[in-house]
Amino acid sequence: MAKEKINMPQLGESVTEGTISSWLVSVGDTVEKYDPIAEVMTDKVNAEVPSSYSGKIVELVADEGETIEVGNLICYIETEGDGAEEEEKKKPEAPVEKDGVGTSDDDADQPMKKRYSPAVMRMAQENDIDLNQVQGSGRGGRITRKDIEKVIASGDLPKEAPKEEKQAEEPKSAPKEKEAPVVQQPPKPSAGPQPTANEGDVEIPVTGVRKAIAQNMVKSKTEIPHAWMMVEVDVTNLVEYRNAVKEDFKNKEGFGLTFFSFFVKAVAQALKEYPQLNSTWAGDKIIQRKAINLNIAVAKENELFVPVIKNADDKSIKGIAKDITDLATKARNGKLTNDDMQGGTFTVNNTGSFGSVQSMGVINHPQAAILQVESIVKKPVFMNGMFAARDMVNLCLSLDHRVLDGLVAGNFLARVKEILENMTKDNTSVY
């Protein structure tokens, strides 16, 4: 028999960690290779983690609700093998020393206490917390992220004892070890005191997709110098055209023809002409993407996902409308796959569905821009010597100023505006 490790897999492009939302197996369960063993939530998708081996689950290292970095251990499985690892397992484990005085009874009851996840280690370091003084609530006494968050919220942070005190506690007979050279580390940003709840307040744990969204938004706003532009577009002809054909389209195709489908088509066409918008900042270079894969925002209750319409420039308005419908349905049913979430190069957000008329989107890192399509509203517009009621919409563009300047961004918006204002029944086909 051999004891093998199962690590957190790469669940999507640019995904660096995942949260164990639930274990689908227990210790002692027998599984086949590729059987699902856990449900994992990332900022990109909810997915099942398959077993890498056939065998018996012998230890679950990660707790439900715990965030694990890609490549780090989540569980052990016992498999049929050559016995080499079994012999290693039979070797007695060295006792864990605590302040130089051997293993305490408390440590023996908590074999997992000193197995820290990367997230726990990072939070402890950032807040100067001595993990030896933290009581773990996880399996086997393991310290979880929630334990650290609770300690931080309490404001009573257990600090490491000063170096002088530690040296005084050591037995005089203990041999002195050669001191390692001191490496100066840059100061860590202070987390500062955390807000506390008052009577009547409701505390909502930040977990899963909301936590991932928060992390990505901070990363985007921290790393990307945002700039904004907006144009107003007269879509009166487009509205008349879509309203005239939507019923026949629905009866024939079985799904709706939304205004958003026309906007996505116009953006995809303009990106072919202005590929600079379809780019990514890569440190010492800018990567201009060939494929035009458009992220769209879809919601499931309080969760927001940004699946991808692949090769949108090659698709008709009907094809785009079908993709929008399919992706929205999969999101609501929790059926989005890794492939649905990967490869996006530009994001189009339908903020108009909430009645918004102007907004400044946060760029979907590491893309170079995001376009907000606002609500279509009727306005009096002066044209041909008189005022007339016209259907108007604002298009709001957020751009990465490292990649894009006002000239190219303005030309791109002007082209999208031109395409939309010329979408009429005479020169535009949905097929």
Side-chain angles (χ1 to χ4, degrees), residues 206-224:
V206 180
T207 59
V209 171
R210 175 51 53 191
K211 183 181 293 184
I213 290 173
Q215 291 170 345
N216 279 356
M217 293 300 98
V218 170
K219 185 175 183 180
S220 180
K221 290 294 288 184
T222 302
E223 294 185 11
I224 299 177

Side-chain angles (χ1 to χ4, degrees), residues 24-46:
L24 304 178
V25 296
S26 301
V27 172
D29 287 353
T30 300
V31 298
E32 297 295 325
K33 188 175 183 180
Y34 305 124
D35 281 353
I37 60 172
E39 290 182 346
V40 174
M41 187 180 300
T42 75
D43 62 316
K44 301 290 186 183
V45 70
N46 293 342

